[in-house]
């Protein structure tokens, strides 16, 4: 049994997880409850106004998901409810505030005394919040009496648009990717503060402020060599953690493109539209007819349950002090050990949706052709300019001359073009990536799990993945069922 093979795995420990309603955190919570119900407590930070609201959101958005069906069947619904009631404590708070804005001083004091492990899996969305959120996690950890390790979930793409083999190395505070500038994080914070004051004085709507801050984030990222705000702020977060951690053991997990579960708790579970799934969704529904990458470009994908297993493996390895602090960054990736190519995904999509066509809302079968494969943004933009913009202009004129007879057709084409351009700009850094991720540290972590006979319970070796079988029989069916 899993529990007997993992005897002391987190037993008696109190764990704190941020971003508790997110995709990875849900898989993590389910895994812990399933393999180690003897942990002491599981504190979960949930964005909510009070404890009652946090519990409600946790039960509705986490416990009632399909993800927990295996555990529910294994121990029974009543026993699962009792386990959660006894061990799991949703805490109302917000990662963007110091001490997460936890207002209940009694709960906060208990957390400071009890927490052994912090796992930061929160995914903030605003440029003006992201790296400050990371520092808030570290400050909170320093106030906890027993915390020995903080696991921070970052992204492998902090490297920007790198080429060649990308090593598992840490950032130096102030380092930039273009090497022509110095990244002063205090300056970046001041730029944000000044911009927010300027926007506030203009009495703009929250949406207008969000758009303006998004544009600012892209400008600052580009200035220092990063392709987008997400990878830029993740890199700054890593820098600050490394610089400020002092005696705390810090583990940084850098996953690549996260896909649906490979095995646990069952294959194919996914939630929300991820990187590759945006194109799957658009292609299957007949909205898009293209993918990115030259035929041999590596698309680095890794199933969500493997990422979670790597997090738990790192906690065990560092908790037992198998490694020195210099080995605390892990690429959770597939490009070195089991590369997936753009042309493979192109064929998987075509074969799957040819055999399993989407039925639209009118009851009609959506027929797909082999998706086009663009190896650069220039080739994509030329294609749009040559084939779609002229057609849209013709439709616009015909629509005006015919008293809007072609209004629906015009709007549908406009929507397709807008979606194609938006997705191309958003995901270019990941799907037109020309590097691969070294995983020397991660391989040592896998070996450590093998030595203590936990490599099957905490499996995260991408070499076992048969990509065609995974996409055709697991990921694509899972995405169609749970996202479409």
């Amino acid at each position: 049994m899993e529990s007997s093979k993992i005897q002391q795995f987190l037993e008696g420990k109190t764990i704190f997880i941020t971003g508790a309603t997110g995709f990875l955190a849900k898989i993590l919570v389910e895994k812990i409850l399933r393999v180690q119900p003897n942990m002491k407590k599981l504190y979960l930070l949930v964005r909510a106004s009070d404890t009652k609201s946090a519990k409600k959101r946790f039960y509705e958005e986490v416990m009632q998901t399909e993800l927990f069906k295996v555990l529910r069947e294994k121990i029974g619904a009543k026993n699962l409810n009792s386990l959660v009631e006894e061990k799991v404590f949703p805490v109302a708070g917000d990662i963007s505030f110091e001490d997460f804005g936890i207002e209940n001083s009694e709960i906060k004091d208990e957390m400071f005394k009890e927490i052994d492990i912090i796992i930061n899996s929160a995914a903030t969305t605003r440029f003006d919040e992201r790296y400050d959120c990371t520092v808030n996690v570290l400050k909170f950890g320093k106030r906890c009496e027993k915390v020995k390790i903080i696991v921070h979930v970052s992204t492998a793409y902090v490297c920007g648009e790198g080429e060649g083999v990308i090593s598992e190395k840490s950032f130096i505070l102030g380092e930039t990717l273009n090497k022509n500038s110095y990244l002063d994080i205090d300056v970046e914070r001041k730029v944000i503060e000044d911009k927010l004051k300027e926007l506030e004085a203009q009495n703009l709507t929250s949406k207008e402020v969000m758009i303006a801050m998004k544009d600012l984030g892209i400008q600052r990222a580009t200035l220092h060599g990063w392709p987008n705000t997400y990878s830029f702020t993740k890199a700054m977060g890593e820098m600050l953690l490394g610089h400020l951690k002092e005696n705390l053991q810090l583990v940084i997990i850098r996953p690549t493109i996260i896909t649906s579960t490979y095995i646990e708790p069952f294959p194919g579970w996914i939630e929300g539209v991820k990187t590759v799934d945006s194109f799957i969704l658009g292609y299957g529904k007949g909205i898009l007819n293209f993918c990115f990458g030259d035929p041999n470009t590596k698309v680095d994908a890794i199933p969500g349950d493997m990422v979670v297993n790597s997090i738990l493996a790192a906690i065990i390895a560092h908790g037992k002090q198998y490694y020195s602090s210099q080995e605390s960054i892990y690429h959770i990736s597939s490009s070195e050990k089991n590369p997936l190519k753009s042309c493979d995904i192109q064929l998987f999509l075509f074969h799957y949706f040819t055999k399993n066509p989407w039925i639209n809302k009118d009851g009609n079968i959506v027929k797909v052709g082999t998706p086009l494969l663009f190896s650069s943004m220039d080739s994509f933009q030329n294609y749009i300019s040559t084939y779609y913009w002229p057609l849209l202009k013709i439709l616009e004129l015909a629509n005006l001359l015919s008293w809007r007879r072609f209004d629906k057709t015009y709007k549908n084409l406009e929507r397709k073009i807008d979606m194609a351009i938006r997705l191309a700009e958003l995901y270019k850094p990941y799907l037109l990536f020309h590097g691969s991720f070294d995983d020397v540290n991660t391989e040592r972590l896998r070996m450590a799990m093998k030595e203590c006979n936990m490599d099957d319970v905490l499996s995260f070796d991408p070499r076992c993945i048969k990509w065609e079988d995974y996409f055709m029989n697991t990921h694509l069916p899972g995405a169609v069922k749970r996202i479409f």
Side-chain angles (χ1 to χ4, degrees), residues 360-372:
N360 65 22
K361 62 182 180 180
D362 298 321
N364 299 320
I365 291 175
V366 176
K367 294 183 179 180
V368 297
T370 304
L372 300 169

Side-chain angles (χ1 to χ4, degrees), residues 31-44:
K31 174 84 175 190
I32 292 172
L33 291 175
R34 180 160 43 84
V35 302
Q36 184 47 282
N38 294 324
M39 49 60 184
K40 184 179 179 181
K41 285 184 180 179
L42 194 56
Y43 285 109
L44 305 176

Side-chain angles (χ1 to χ4, degrees), residues 80-130:
L80 177 58
N81 290 338
S82 297
L83 175 64
V84 170
E85 189 67 29
E86 179 188 355
K87 303 281 188 176
V88 181
F89 298 87
V91 178
D94 188 322
I95 195 172
S96 62
F97 295 104
E98 189 166 346
D99 284 349
F100 311 128
I102 300 172
E103 295 182 355
N104 189 317
S105 57
E106 187 177 332
I107 290 176
K108 189 159 57 175
D109 289 343
E110 286 178 2
M111 293 173 73
F112 287 147
K113 291 176 182 177
E114 295 180 342
I115 293 172
D116 300 287
I117 299 159
I118 294 177
I119 303 171
N120 179 28
S121 66
T124 52
T125 56
R126 287 176 50 181
F127 171 56
D128 53 309
E129 287 183 353
R130 282 182 180 155

Side-chain angles (χ1 to χ4, degrees), residues 234-299:
K234 282 288 191 182
M236 282 195 286
E238 285 194 19
M239 290 179 198
L240 287 167
L241 287 174
H243 181 68
L244 301 171
K245 69 182 179 67
E246 295 178 339
N247 295 326
L248 283 174
Q249 176 73 266
L250 174 66
V251 170
I252 295 176
I253 301 291
R254 290 179 180 168
T256 51
I257 298 170
I258 303 175
T259 55
S260 62
T261 54
Y262 183 62
I263 293 177
E264 293 184 82
F266 56 87
W269 187 78
I270 192 165
E271 187 178 65
V273 179
K274 305 291 186 288
T275 309
V276 176
D277 305 312
S278 300
F279 290 91
I280 292 171
L281 183 69
Y283 174 73
K285 289 190 172 183
I287 300 171
L288 303 177
N289 67 336
F290 71 94
C291 296
F292 269 126
D294 64 52
N296 293 312
T297 298
K298 296 175 184 178
V299 178

